[in-house]
Amino acid sequence: MELVVIDHHQLQVDLTKLDNTKIILASNLEEFYQKARIYIKEDYDLVISDEDPDGITSVIIYNLYKNKKINFLGNRNGLKKEDINLLKEKGIKSIIAFDWFPFNYSDLNDFDKIIYISPRSSNLGNINTSDTVYQALPETGKFGRDISTIGTVCDYLVDNCKEKINSVVLDYKGLFPELINLAEENKLDRYNVYKINNANTKFFDLSLMLWAPFILEGQEGNNKLIELITQNQIFTLNELFNNSNNPTVIYLQRLWKKLENLLKQEEENFNLNKRVIGKLIFYEVKTNKPGFMSKFSSIISDKYPNGEVIVMRTRNENKGIFSHSLRTKIGNYNLGKLMIKLGVGGGHEEAAGANVKIEKEEWFEKELIKEINNF
Ligand SMILES: [Mn+2]
């Protein structure tokens, strides 16, 4: 079985040690997109992606280019030997994977051949996957550009795709009046695209729209979104904020409203039940849906820009753990490294995750209080 991966994550596996793997290198971005194009243009028996908006928007753009029903699988756990064998039995011989972080947890030796395509392998910067797919398939036009822009914004990688973001803002001046000057001065960044003068922009809403199918309906939600897009015509960003007959737009609007309400209720509950200990703000999330806590903790942390650390958790009774989402606006703490040091998780400077056994939760909180409040 052959696997082609279009990605931009920091890898936890050393690909040079795998003799079934070819790493695609390029000396500049233009060459990188050209090389990616050769592989993206091929036909594959199965398309997989992460369930987050960058993964899903990549599939949408790919799908638009292919213009036919594709076999799609959202996957957050990786493909183990058994999964690969099962797919083989179903006649799957080739897979293309977009923005697929679970690549790291897959049994890579069980593939006959892997082609790994990431701008980071050639030190070309952290370009999100839906941008690579769009740049490799310029035929997808303004729809491809608009959709990949949502993927870029959701991945907080605006600074690496400024030209594209500027052109979207200037094409939709009515949607983004507060961003026009910033676009003209090339000053948009990962923060001000979401929020300016203390008010959310339409990019905030667009990011919720693309998160909503997965958060509210799980894998089924993303399957439905991909299917609706295959069956129906393209749409503009304006349509997403107005009455439309397009079934994809109607679906996204309905779920967006639902997600907004859920976030509002959760925030009311947060304000009532949060525990503040020094710089730390602890909270147990009521809504137990995949992806919800991660999105909610990011939204809340935007409201605490002075070095506070948001620590949210949900209880997973089956596994006997609390899952945590940690967020801060000041990277100095390096939350990801701290989670690795405590042996409970990992992540980035400002956003990290951790799984802690329920009986060790008290210890975890004490360690956080010690590390963060004495920083
Ligand atoms: Mn991504």
Side-chain angles (χ1 to χ4, degrees):
M1 187 186 289
E2 187 186 326
L3 172 68
V4 172
V5 186
I6 315 284
D7 193 28
H8 68 118
H9 289 102
Q10 195 92 60
L11 283 183
Q12 292 167 12
V13 283
D14 184 358
L15 292 185
T16 58
K17 295 221 168 92
L18 296 173
D19 46 14
N20 61 349
T21 302
K22 184 175 169 187
I23 304 169
I24 303 299
L25 299 172
S27 50
N28 56 56
L29 272 177
E30 202 181 329
E31 188 192 341
F32 173 73
Y33 298 137
Q34 286 300 332
K35 287 189 167 174
R37 177 178 173 84
I38 295 167
Y39 289 96
I40 299 175
K41 276 185 81 173
E42 291 290 314
D43 279 325
Y44 297 89
D45 298 328
L46 178 67
V47 180
I48 41 180
S49 80
D50 201 345
E51 306 268 25
D52 73 357
D54 187 29
I56 290 306
T57 53
S58 300
V59 178
I60 291 171
I61 299 161
Y62 171 80
N63 196 4
L64 178 77
Y65 175 81
K66 287 286 170 185
N67 197 22
K68 62 181 176 197
K69 196 171 163 32
I70 55 164
N71 195 4
F72 165 70
L73 174 74
N75 176 286
R76 292 206 122 173
N77 302 315
L79 294 179
K80 299 289 178 201
K81 195 184 187 66
E82 313 83 73
D83 308 313
I84 295 168
N85 284 337
L86 219 69
L87 289 173
K88 276 185 190 161
E89 278 169 30
K90 287 183 182 163
I92 306 285
K93 291 191 177 70
S94 61
I95 300 176
I96 188 163
F98 293 114
D99 196 51
W100 191 47
F101 184 68
F103 178 73
N104 284 297
Y105 321 126
S106 296
D107 285 336
L108 300 178
N109 280 312
D110 284 274
F111 291 95
D112 300 312
K113 193 175 165 194
I114 296 172
I115 307 284
Y116 188 77
I117 306 172
S118 163
R120 299 181 79 155
S121 306
S122 309
N123 290 319
L124 297 173
N126 193 0
I127 306 289
N128 71 295
T129 303
S130 69
D131 190 64
T132 296
V133 179
Y134 160 62
Q135 303 288 353
L137 303 175
E139 298 92 332
T140 56
K142 286 200 173 175
F143 184 75
R145 179 200 63 178
D146 294 353
I147 292 296
S148 83
T149 295
I150 303 176
T152 302
V153 168
C154 287
D155 263 16
Y156 293 97
L157 290 171
V158 169
D159 305 63
N160 299 337
C161 301
K162 283 199 170 186
E163 217 176 293
K164 179 179 73 177
I165 313 278
N166 292 343
S167 80
V168 168
V169 168
L170 297 176
D171 261 11
Y172 293 102
K173 286 185 176 163
L175 286 185
F176 308 106
E178 69 281 60
L179 299 178
I180 296 170
N181 281 340
L182 289 167
E184 281 169 349
E185 292 165 13
N186 200 28
K187 283 182 182 160
L188 288 168
D189 64 36
R190 54 193 283 201
Y191 299 117
N192 61 25
V193 284
Y194 275 114
K195 197 174 189 175
I196 190 156
N197 304 327
N198 248 333
N200 291 331
T201 70
K202 289 276 192 298
F203 279 120
F204 178 88
D205 300 326
L206 289 167
S207 104
L208 285 189
M209 273 185 221
L210 265 295
W211 266 113
F214 179 63
I215 289 179
L216 295 171
E217 299 184 347
Q219 201 181 321
E220 277 312 300
N222 275 341
N223 287 346
K224 184 161 182 202
L225 176 60
I226 301 296
E227 205 180 299
L228 279 171
I229 296 216
T230 320
Q231 290 163 353
N232 297 288
Q233 70 277 28
I234 58 172
F235 50 85
T236 65
L237 297 186
N238 280 326
E239 275 183 85
L240 287 169
F241 294 95
N242 289 300
N243 282 332
S244 166
N245 295 321
N246 186 311
T248 314
V249 172
I250 294 169
Y251 177 66
L252 285 174
Q253 287 175 334
R254 181 168 64 78
L255 265 61
W256 168 43
K257 288 293 158 204
K258 222 168 139 184
L259 180 56
E260 265 197 325
N261 278 327
L262 210 56
L263 287 165
K264 218 175 98 191
Q265 286 168 22
E266 193 72 55
E267 192 168 345
E268 282 164 13
N269 197 54
F270 168 83
N271 289 329
L272 286 174
N273 295 309
K274 64 177 189 282
R275 290 180 293 132
V276 181
I277 304 175
K279 286 272 178 198
L280 285 151
I281 302 174
F282 292 100
Y283 175 62
E284 186 157 344
V285 179
K286 263 176 98 177
T287 308
N288 209 336
K289 288 182 179 297
F292 181 86
M293 178 167 68
S294 147
K295 188 69 193 162
F296 182 64
S297 59
S298 298
I299 291 171
I300 290 295
S301 88
D302 284 341
K303 303 185 180 194
Y304 293 92
N306 302 314
E308 295 91 339
V309 177
I310 311 290
V311 184
M312 296 201 179
R313 73 181 192 200
T314 54
R315 182 188 277 264
N316 185 329
E317 211 64 67
N318 289 339
K319 291 186 183 165
I321 55 164
F322 280 115
S323 304
H324 296 80
S325 176
L326 295 94
R327 296 285 184 278
T328 183
K329 289 284 127 191
I330 295 182
N332 300 350
Y333 303 120
N334 202 333
L335 297 177
K337 267 198 183 150
L338 179 57
M339 292 309 104
I340 292 171
K341 185 176 136 190
L342 296 177
V344 290
H348 309 281
E349 283 91 341
E350 299 175 2
N355 287 331
V356 178
K357 290 213 174 84
I358 289 173
E359 63 270 21
K360 289 198 78 181
E361 182 67 10
E362 207 175 309
W363 161 83
F364 180 59
E365 286 195 5
K366 276 190 185 143
E367 288 298 314
L368 284 177
I369 292 166
K370 209 161 64 192
E371 296 277 352
I372 302 290
N373 286 339
N374 293 331
F375 190 81

